[in-house]
Amino acid sequence: MPHADSSFQKTPAARKVAAPKESPQRRRRLLDAAEELFSSRGFYGVTVRQVAEMAEVDVALPNYYFGSKRGLFDAVFHRRAEVLNEARGAGIDAVIAAAGDGRPSVEDILHAFIQPVLEAQASSDPGWRNYCRLVAQVNSSAVFAEMMSTHFDELIAKLISALRIALPHAKERELYWAYHFLTGALTLTMADTGRIDHLSHGLCHSADAHDAYRHLVTFFARGFTAAAND
Amino acid sequence: MPHADSSFQKTPAARKVAAPKESPQRRRRLLDAAEELFSSRGFYGVTVRQVAEMAEVDVALPNYYFGSKRGLFDAVFHRRAEVLNEARGAGIDAVIAAAGDGRPSVEDILHAFIQPVLEAQASSDPGWRNYCRLVAQVNSSAVFAEMMSTHFDELIAKLISALRIALPHAKERELYWAYHFLTGALTLTMADTGRIDHLSHGLCHSADAHDAYRHLVTFFARGFTAAAND
DNA sequence: GTCTATAGCGAGATAGAC
DNA sequence: GTCTATCTCGCTATAGAC
């Protein structure tokens, strides 16, 4: 007699609620906590125990979900890179399309490249601000630099191509050097260390991302244009 | 009878060699090893045991000489900061003095500010190259950012003062933003991650510090001058 | 999927012999 | 000043109960 097994007394709905539990939320909370901690102390300065504690999950779960500490780090870096790349790439495409057969403006191209980063840093979601700081740290590190290539080289190639259309007489080397300076300035801005506030005695606020990025676009649009005449 | 104690048979010169042993050399080797390791893996990514091993000294000596791992880190950062600041500050002073009552050129000022860093990075002493990478990492880190203030704020104030003389009509805010972009570009160059080589398919070489810094000075001299007209 | 318990290791620092 | 030995702690990762 296939009978009174207690599990048969649960309704399907009740079983469904209990079974997968809150796994997706926990995964997300782990990524958020890891993002915050890694962004301020780097890969080696954070322990999986700290991440688990901040995410309010068991210490074993980071390894269960992501395989290893490094797997967690990679997952954090990957998550928002995709979102950012999609927005930045689409923006550049739109600027080129809008120009038709003419030349797109350098300023419009840089704006498209930079604007999604600005929005990330000005976002009310602290996760995006943490992510910006994480990227800044990875970009200055020798050991993790290959992560930048993996995630951002395609987008950068698109930026350079667009600038080549806008500045057809520019030498390739000048374009790359100018890009190098741009990315240095951009990532330091993303690092948001508060140093500009301090140095300028409060005249400049790193918290005002809009102000920072407006200056950034203006400054480098001129710089690219001037460098193209060398 | 004050007699045949074996130590009395050593000449004073021999005693001198044996007594303080090789302490100064060991201190130096520790700083060099720590510099190399910290510059590539950061503070948390290095152990005192690794430093001791690379310096070929006992594991207890880093703590004996520097008190703690953090003390060692600070000592590494401090050692060359002084040398660099002295050279950069003197260079700026010389440019202002040479201009007399006239205006010094922006390009000369930036050259004085940047040139000693170039020499450090192009140096045959690998310690200087490691130090540049270390500064780049510290500058992008939120937790260690106060080390930058402690060691470099005075020099930066001198740079800004000099630029104020060269560009008397520039708004303060524009000067500080331009400085912010300059330091981002400079520190990324110091990080020497090899990314520009890769991105430019070999057109630009981060190993060629002279080329990098020549572009840097030209690019930012124009940038400061243009920003001063805003 | 979750959690307890622990394996296995290596960290930073120091006491005390020399 | 140097080195041996060790204390104490916390780490990453996993085996196995639930």
Side-chain angles (χ1 to χ4, degrees), chain B residues 189-203:
Chain B
T189 305
M190 291 167 79
D192 194 18
T193 59
R195 236 169 107 48
I196 179 83
D197 307 55
H198 178 245
L199 280 169
S200 70
H201 309 290
L203 275 175

Side-chain angles (χ1 to χ4, degrees), chain A residues 186-200:
Chain A
L186 177 59
T187 49
L188 182 62
T189 304
M190 291 167 79
D192 193 18
T193 60
R195 236 169 107 47
I196 178 82
D197 307 54
H198 178 245
L199 280 168
S200 71

Side-chain angles (χ1 to χ4, degrees), chain A residues 40-41 44-45 133 136-137 139-143 145 148-149 152-153 156 172-174 176-181 183-185 188-189 191 193 195-196 198-201 203-205 211-212 215-216 219-220 222-224 226-227 230, chain B residues 40-41 44-45 133 136-137 139-143 145 148-149 152-153 156 172-174 176-181 183-185 188-189 191 193 195-196 198-201 203-205 211-212 215-216 219-220 222-224 226-227 230:
Chain A
S40 71
R41 299 168 63 91
Y44 301 108
R133 292 198 294 150
Q137 257 192 280
N139 194 44
S140 298
S141 139
V143 260
M148 295 299 295
S149 281
F152 295 119
D153 272 9
I156 295 164
E172 286 287 289
R173 290 181 71 239
E174 305 301 325
Y176 282 111
W177 278 121
Y179 166 75
H180 177 71
F181 302 147
T183 195
L188 182 62
T189 304
T193 60
R195 236 169 107 47
I196 178 82
H198 178 245
L199 280 168
S200 71
H201 309 289
L203 275 175
C204 306
H205 300 282
D211 195 34
H215 279 89
L216 195 56
F219 189 93
F220 280 93
R222 284 175 182 153
F224 270 100
D230 281 343
Chain B
S40 71
R41 298 168 63 89
Y44 300 107
R133 292 197 294 149
Q137 259 191 280
N139 194 43
S140 298
S141 137
V143 261
M148 295 299 295
S149 281
F152 297 119
D153 273 8
I156 295 164
E172 286 288 289
R173 291 182 70 239
E174 305 302 324
Y176 281 110
W177 279 120
Y179 166 75
H180 177 72
F181 302 148
T183 194
L188 182 62
T189 305
T193 59
R195 236 169 107 48
I196 179 83
H198 178 245
L199 280 169
S200 70
H201 309 290
L203 275 175
C204 306
H205 300 282
D211 195 33
H215 278 89
L216 195 56
F219 190 93
F220 280 94
R222 284 176 182 152
F224 270 99
D230 283 344

Side-chain angles (χ1 to χ4, degrees), chain B residues 52 83 109 146 153:
Chain B
V83 182
I109 293 167
E146 115 282 347
D153 273 8

Side-chain angles (χ1 to χ4, degrees), chain A residues 14-204:
Chain A
R15 297 247 305 301
K16 200 177 166 196
V17 169
K21 231 170 178 176
E22 39 177 350
S23 165
Q25 295 94 314
R26 292 187 166 187
R27 216 187 131 87
R28 190 201 163 123
R29 282 216 309 276
L30 275 169
L31 288 170
D32 289 342
E35 189 169 60
E36 175 169 346
L37 291 169
F38 284 139
S39 75
S40 71
R41 299 168 63 91
F43 178 74
Y44 301 108
V46 174
T47 72
V48 297
R49 300 180 119 84
Q50 292 173 320
V51 175
E53 192 184 357
M54 179 175 280
E56 298 180 291
V57 303
D58 189 87
V59 282
L61 289 183
N63 284 306
Y64 176 75
Y65 284 132
F66 303 101
S68 66
K69 182 185 175 183
R70 180 58 198 253
L72 173 59
F73 188 70
D74 291 341
V76 167
F77 198 84
H78 185 261
R79 175 172 60 155
R80 300 199 202 260
E82 302 312 299
V83 182
L84 217 41
N85 277 336
E86 161 62 22
R88 300 168 86 183
I92 295 174
D93 287 340
V95 169
I96 294 179
D101 290 337
R103 290 185 198 167
S105 91
V106 174
E107 197 154 335
D108 288 348
I109 292 168
L110 293 185
H111 183 265
F113 182 71
I114 291 171
Q115 147 82 12
V117 181
L118 144 75
E119 273 184 20
Q121 209 170 336
S123 166
S124 60
D125 177 358
W128 274 110
R129 292 198 296 278
N130 291 330
Y131 185 73
C132 288
R133 292 198 294 150
L134 178 64
V135 171
Q137 257 192 280
V138 168
N139 194 44
S140 298
S141 139
V143 260
F144 295 112
E146 116 281 347
M147 294 177 70
M148 295 299 295
S149 281
T150 304
H151 289 89
F152 295 119
D153 272 9
E154 199 180 316
L155 174 68
I156 295 164
K158 181 176 280 193
L159 170 69
I160 299 285
S161 297
L163 289 168
R164 224 177 261 132
I165 300 175
L167 299 165
H169 303 303
K171 296 198 193 85
E172 286 287 289
R173 290 181 71 239
E174 305 301 325
L175 281 183
Y176 282 111
W177 278 121
Y179 166 75
H180 177 71
F181 302 147
L182 167 64
T183 195
L186 177 59
T187 49
L188 182 62
T189 304
M190 291 167 79
D192 193 18
T193 60
R195 236 169 107 47
I196 178 82
D197 307 54
H198 178 245
L199 280 168
S200 71
H201 309 289
L203 275 175
C204 306

Side-chain angles (χ1 to χ4, degrees), chain B residues 157-177:
Chain B
K158 181 176 280 194
L159 170 70
I160 299 284
S161 297
L163 289 168
R164 225 178 261 134
I165 301 174
L167 300 165
H169 303 303
K171 294 198 192 85
E172 286 288 289
R173 291 182 70 239
E174 305 302 324
L175 281 183
Y176 281 110
W177 279 120

